[in-house]
Amino acid sequence: MEKKEQLYEGKAKKVFATEDPALCIVSYKDDATAFNGLKKGTIAGKGVVNNRMSNLLMRLLEQNGVPTHLVQELSERDTLVKKVQIVPLEVIVRNVSAGSFAKRYGVPEGIVFDEPTIEFSYKCDALDDPLLNTYHALALKLATKEEIATIERYAFRVNEVLKEYFLHLGVRLIDFKLEFGRLPDGTIVLADEISPDTCRFWDAETGEKLDKDRFRRDMGGVEDAYREIFKRVKGE
Ligand code: TMP
Ligand code: ASP
């Protein structure tokens, strides 16, 4: 399957049409942004890591009852996916306090929760992705009640599967962001990506950050962190 016209360019990926109207090709870039595009840079090799890692994780999730958009990895950076209408919600699951949670509630990072939390943001760059609850999402007609229930169920399932998976690789899954899409028949599937751009990974032994926080916080060692987490996922 070949790339036809470009349908969309996001901050980290481009999306191309294919000869099949039900499928598109996602192409992962090395571009990195943070704080809604205020901070810009590149992370050499990130596109390859995120493409391959996201595909590996989505395959694992498919095997564990979570349907995804994934069809086939085409190359280091390109993947064939089902064309979906993205539900404009960023779905964030947390196991440990970090990032905006720690800031918003004035707590230190690293507090382990008894139960995972879930929250939604309205995926809207112009508004800076504001936090919203399910009543707001319904009022704004971003999704139906049934869709939100399905999304919550899948998001917690993703957490169960990935938390366990990463622990075996010596990595703590702190939190992550998911996006879901609708197939033409209305089925909800996991879309977008699961990568060090969209998850927080802390080394279980040392606490070292193996994710995009190294870029967001100017910590250095960004490329090495992406390489390291990818190495573990590949089983090397
Ligand atoms: P937060 O603590 O900044 O809200 O981030 C929670 C998780 O969501 C973290 O793993 C990083 C991820 N994330 C994204 O994937 N995209 C975003 O735009 C933001 C703000 C966070
Ligand atoms: N991807 C987001 C952006 O630039 C932010 C982030 O991941 O921190 O908007």
Side-chain angles (χ1 to χ4, degrees):
M1 195 78 68
E2 280 175 23
K3 288 181 202 163
K4 297 216 177 255
E5 79 273 14
Q6 185 175 307
L7 298 175
Y8 175 77
E9 177 161 9
K11 286 179 279 205
K13 299 186 284 297
K14 293 178 182 178
V15 183
F16 295 88
T18 68
E19 66 206 32
D20 184 338
L23 301 176
C24 41
I25 293 174
V26 177
S27 190
Y28 285 73
K29 307 188 285 184
D30 284 352
D31 298 352
T33 63
F35 316 115
N36 197 14
L38 275 180
K39 182 184 174 87
K40 286 194 177 71
T42 41
I43 301 174
K46 171 171 88 80
V48 176
V49 170
N50 287 13
N51 179 46
R52 299 191 52 197
M53 185 163 155
S54 189
N55 292 341
L56 265 155
L57 298 177
M58 287 211 189
R59 279 278 170 256
L60 173 71
L61 291 167
E62 290 264 358
Q63 290 159 9
N64 284 278
V66 181
T68 79
H69 69 165
L70 177 59
V71 178
Q72 189 192 353
E73 189 168 288
L74 299 177
S75 70
E76 278 195 323
R77 288 176 186 272
D78 293 352
T79 293
L80 188 65
V81 298
K82 292 175 188 163
K83 190 170 184 173
V84 299
Q85 180 191 44
I86 290 286
V87 176
L89 292 173
E90 301 207 342
V91 181
I92 296 160
V93 176
R94 301 178 191 267
N95 296 303
V96 177
S97 66
S100 71
F101 181 99
K103 193 167 174 202
R104 185 179 321 120
Y105 301 117
V107 295
E109 295 197 309
I111 296 170
V112 180
F113 304 146
D114 291 340
E115 298 285 337
T117 67
I118 193 163
E119 74 210 42
F120 299 100
S121 293
Y122 179 19
K123 188 175 155 61
C124 177
D125 281 344
L127 298 174
D128 233 347
D129 297 342
L131 194 67
L132 47 60
N133 66 31
T134 54
Y135 294 96
H136 300 149
L138 288 172
L140 294 167
K141 297 197 180 350
L142 305 183
T144 66
K145 250 187 191 165
E146 294 71 29
E147 286 175 333
I148 292 173
T150 303
I151 285 171
E152 285 199 358
R153 188 161 49 81
Y154 286 155
F156 282 126
R157 181 69 187 141
V158 169
N159 187 49
E160 280 173 11
V161 174
L162 294 189
K163 204 176 136 184
E164 180 73 16
Y165 172 80
F166 278 103
L167 209 52
H168 284 289
L169 304 176
V171 173
R172 296 172 69 199
L173 177 63
I174 303 303
D175 57 33
F176 57 88
K177 185 263 303 179
L178 302 174
E179 294 182 26
F180 291 86
R182 297 179 189 100
L183 295 178
D185 70 357
T187 308
I188 294 284
V189 297
L190 182 62
D192 193 50
E193 68 182 271
I194 308 178
S195 72
D197 275 22
T198 64
C199 303
R200 285 194 173 94
F201 299 119
W202 294 358
D203 183 279
E205 290 284 310
T206 63
E208 194 190 351
K209 296 186 198 306
L210 300 172
D211 58 59
K212 193 177 164 189
D213 268 352
R214 302 197 78 88
F215 170 81
R216 295 188 187 100
R217 302 178 185 190
D218 294 319
M219 297 170 74
V222 184
E223 279 88 359
D224 281 347
Y226 277 71
R227 265 197 295 274
E228 175 59 28
I229 190 80
F230 186 40
K231 229 172 76 180
R232 295 202 203 178
V233 168
K234 281 190 297 181
E236 286 173 6

